[in-house]
Amino acid sequence: MMQQREQLTAAARQYVDSGRFQEDLERIVSYPSESSTAEGRVALKSYLDEVVEPAFVSLGCSVERFDSWRSGNNSFLLATRQESPELPTVLCYGHADVVDGQAAGWTSGRNPWVLSDEGDRWYGRGSADNKGQHWLNIVALRLLLEQQGNLGFNLVFLLEGAEEIGSPDLADFAREHREALQADVFLGSDGPRLAADNPTLFLGARGGMTFHLTADLRSGSYHSGNWGGLLRNPATTVAAAVASLVDGHGMIRLPELLPAGIPDSVAAALELIDVVPQPGDPKTDPTWGDRSLSPAERLYAWNTLEVLALGAGNPAKPVNSIPGSATASLQLRFVPGTDTAKIESAVRRHLDAAGFSMVEVEVGQSFPASRLDPDSPWVSWALTSLAETTGRSPVLLPNIGGSLPSFVFAEVLELPTLWVPHSHPGCQQHAPDEHLLKSVAREGLQIAAGLFFDLATTPTPAGNPRPGAAVPAGSAS
């Protein structure tokens, strides 16, 4: 069995080194599947029609399509291969959409829709986020099927088409198709590793909530000399309102914006994490945020309140007048254990008590947090698999600092969630010059192949009927 595993991971490495994965990547990057534009959604449909659906059909999967589901901006593809009801079932996920190409910002003559092969980097929109990552998992499934003649488990693979605009309707789709999406474990690849050379497993994501503070006090501006000291300045007022929520050193001052605490299992996992900026990353500030917490705890286990925008008057050309209005846009990044249902009312009460009743509060987009307990037996199973493939101790993150729709799988479908990213923090996934590292892709394909092999051949928390359970390939539907 070990020899078969080694042969499979060697085949995965060869798939990248031979140039076959690059050929795949060239094709999938060429589809400008921007979910924010009508033209991009047409390209996304073509990508699903011409690339993804045929790939799953070749895996012996039945494929259902839900294009523009409920006449909305999200589309779904659901591929299923059922080998035996006695085998474990894995639900995989990826997203086929990309952010705007931002073609004017790409350097050195690069085109976001044409793959550029440069050193250890493949440049192209979607190379890292997320086409390259979900394609690595699809290839790993294909290599396992070619080797064994069957997968040795049941597969459900869900691709959505609007993750980059907030995954609209994904939660409702999951609720409506709960039976078809049932599985023993969830396995997705998105987001970055802790660092390029650190194989990483993370178990969820922080949530986010934006809200806007506005002081719209009068229709126009008035001379600061003639009226200064008599008219309330909305910019000063909004700045003070922000400072009453988060101070000038990043410490949140309103208790209702904080989690109840850090679970022991999360704290134990983060004791092993050292947050070290990589080349090209910004320099971190050790005096920013709650210094009673380690950098890893601040980033992965605590809440942060960030000012995203702050505006009044004309900063490019200030004049001697008191502005009539001012606004600030803030975002709370939060972990599980935060009572988000009470945040708006808590902020309102706090501002009123501080004398800022003239500041309006408007809550914008919100997405939940989720996290699998690091003590879950699925976590140790996955870590063992990653270590076996790479020969190194993988990094375990209880959750990433950013956001993914992990809550849909953890809370709506109630599945243990395992995320194994095949990218790195400096991949510039939402900016010009997005790229995938060849070295990470090579190891990522080996990791994915190892995980799928182990799901088929080793005891898992799902309770395989026996190690190496084999089912004839013809039993798939």
Side-chain angles (χ1 to χ4, degrees), residues 275-307:
V275 179
V276 179
Q278 301 299 301
D281 290 345
K283 183 179 179 181
T284 59
D285 187 343
T287 68
W288 182 260
D290 190 337
R291 282 175 284 174
S292 69
L293 304 174
S294 70
E297 288 172 330
R298 283 180 246 170
L299 183 58
Y300 302 118
W302 207 243
N303 294 0
T304 60
L305 183 61
E306 303 294 347
V307 178

Side-chain angles (χ1 to χ4, degrees), residues 15-97:
Y15 193 92
V16 176
D17 290 346
S18 67
R20 294 174 66 191
F21 181 74
Q22 180 175 336
E23 293 175 0
D24 293 344
L25 202 57
E26 287 174 348
R27 186 182 184 199
I28 63 182
V29 161
S30 70
Y31 290 83
S33 53
E34 302 164 321
S35 49
S36 61
T37 68
E39 297 82 3
R41 290 190 287 275
V42 172
L44 182 140
K45 184 177 185 304
S46 296
Y47 174 58
L48 297 179
D49 287 342
E50 299 167 11
V51 180
V52 178
E53 184 169 348
F56 281 117
V57 170
S58 71
L59 290 175
C61 294
S62 60
V63 179
E64 293 183 86
R65 292 282 296 278
F66 305 86
D67 296 337
S68 300
W69 190 62
R70 292 183 175 175
S71 301
N73 289 332
N74 208 345
S75 297
F76 303 97
L77 181 149
L78 184 60
T80 305
R81 180 184 168 99
Q82 183 74 20
E83 294 195 351
S84 168
E86 295 191 4
L87 293 175
T89 299
V90 60
L91 171 61
C92 296
Y93 163 84
H95 64 88
D97 66 315

Side-chain angles (χ1 to χ4, degrees), residues 20-308:
R20 294 174 66 191
F21 181 74
Q22 180 175 336
E23 293 175 0
D24 293 344
L25 202 57
E26 287 174 348
R27 186 182 184 199
I28 63 182
V29 161
S30 70
Y31 290 83
S33 53
E34 302 164 321
S35 49
S36 61
T37 68
E39 297 82 3
R41 290 190 287 275
V42 172
L44 182 140
K45 184 177 185 304
S46 296
Y47 174 58
L48 297 179
D49 287 342
E50 299 167 11
V51 180
V52 178
E53 184 169 348
F56 281 117
V57 170
S58 71
L59 290 175
C61 294
S62 60
V63 179
E64 293 183 86
R65 292 282 296 278
F66 305 86
D67 296 337
S68 300
W69 190 62
R70 292 183 175 175
S71 301
N73 289 332
N74 208 345
S75 297
F76 303 97
L77 181 149
L78 184 60
T80 305
R81 180 184 168 99
Q82 183 74 20
E83 294 195 351
S84 168
E86 295 191 4
L87 293 175
T89 299
V90 60
L91 171 61
C92 296
Y93 163 84
H95 64 88
D97 66 315
V98 297
V99 297
D100 293 351
Q102 305 171 47
W106 290 62
T107 61
S108 303
R110 301 184 184 108
N111 184 324
W113 315 118
V114 177
L115 193 72
S116 298
D117 179 7
E118 302 177 32
D120 191 38
R121 297 183 175 191
W122 283 311
Y123 287 92
R125 179 63 82 219
S127 58
D129 188 16
N130 171 258
K131 291 177 180 176
Q133 296 209 49
H134 69 244
W135 194 257
L136 285 167
N137 290 344
I138 292 171
V139 171
L141 290 164
R142 184 195 308 161
L143 295 175
L144 177 64
L145 189 60
E146 289 174 354
Q147 182 194 62
Q148 304 291 336
N150 57 70
L151 295 179
F153 53 84
N154 304 310
L155 172 69
V156 182
F157 207 121
L158 175 66
L159 276 178
E160 69 157 314
E163 192 272 347
E164 299 294 6
I165 56 172
S167 297
D169 298 322
L170 176 60
D172 287 341
F173 181 86
R175 293 185 187 97
E176 187 168 311
H177 298 86
R178 183 183 181 91
E179 183 174 352
L181 295 170
Q182 275 305 296
D184 295 291
V185 65
F186 167 88
L187 176 61
S189 295
D190 201 353
R193 295 175 164 194
L194 179 68
D197 58 352
N198 290 138
T200 300
L201 171 69
F202 66 86
L203 311 178
R206 286 200 294 184
M209 173 183 287
T210 59
F211 56 95
H212 311 283
L213 304 182
T214 303
D216 190 3
L217 304 186
R218 57 192 69 89
S219 60
S221 302
Y222 288 85
H223 193 280
S224 58
N226 295 336
W227 293 97
L230 298 179
L231 298 182
R232 172 176 284 276
N233 188 311
T236 306
T237 299
V238 167
V242 170
S244 74
L245 297 171
V246 56
D247 72 15
H249 302 285
M251 287 283 291
I252 294 177
R253 304 179 70 177
L254 181 60
E256 287 87 346
L257 299 180
L258 293 172
I262 301 177
D264 291 343
S265 58
V266 172
L270 293 177
E271 284 182 359
L272 305 176
I273 304 299
D274 187 14
V275 179
V276 179
Q278 301 299 301
D281 290 345
K283 183 179 179 181
T284 59
D285 187 343
T287 68
W288 182 260
D290 190 337
R291 282 175 284 174
S292 69
L293 304 174
S294 70
E297 288 172 330
R298 283 180 246 170
L299 183 58
Y300 302 118
W302 207 243
N303 294 0
T304 60
L305 183 61
E306 303 294 347
V307 178
L308 304 183

Side-chain angles (χ1 to χ4, degrees), residues 208-213 328-332 334 340 343-344 361-367:
M209 173 183 287
T210 59
F211 56 95
H212 311 283
L213 304 182
S329 297
L330 297 88
Q331 185 182 63
L332 181 72
F334 60 88
T340 56
I343 285 178
E344 183 175 6
V361 180
E362 179 186 3
V363 173
Q365 185 183 31
S366 178
F367 36 90

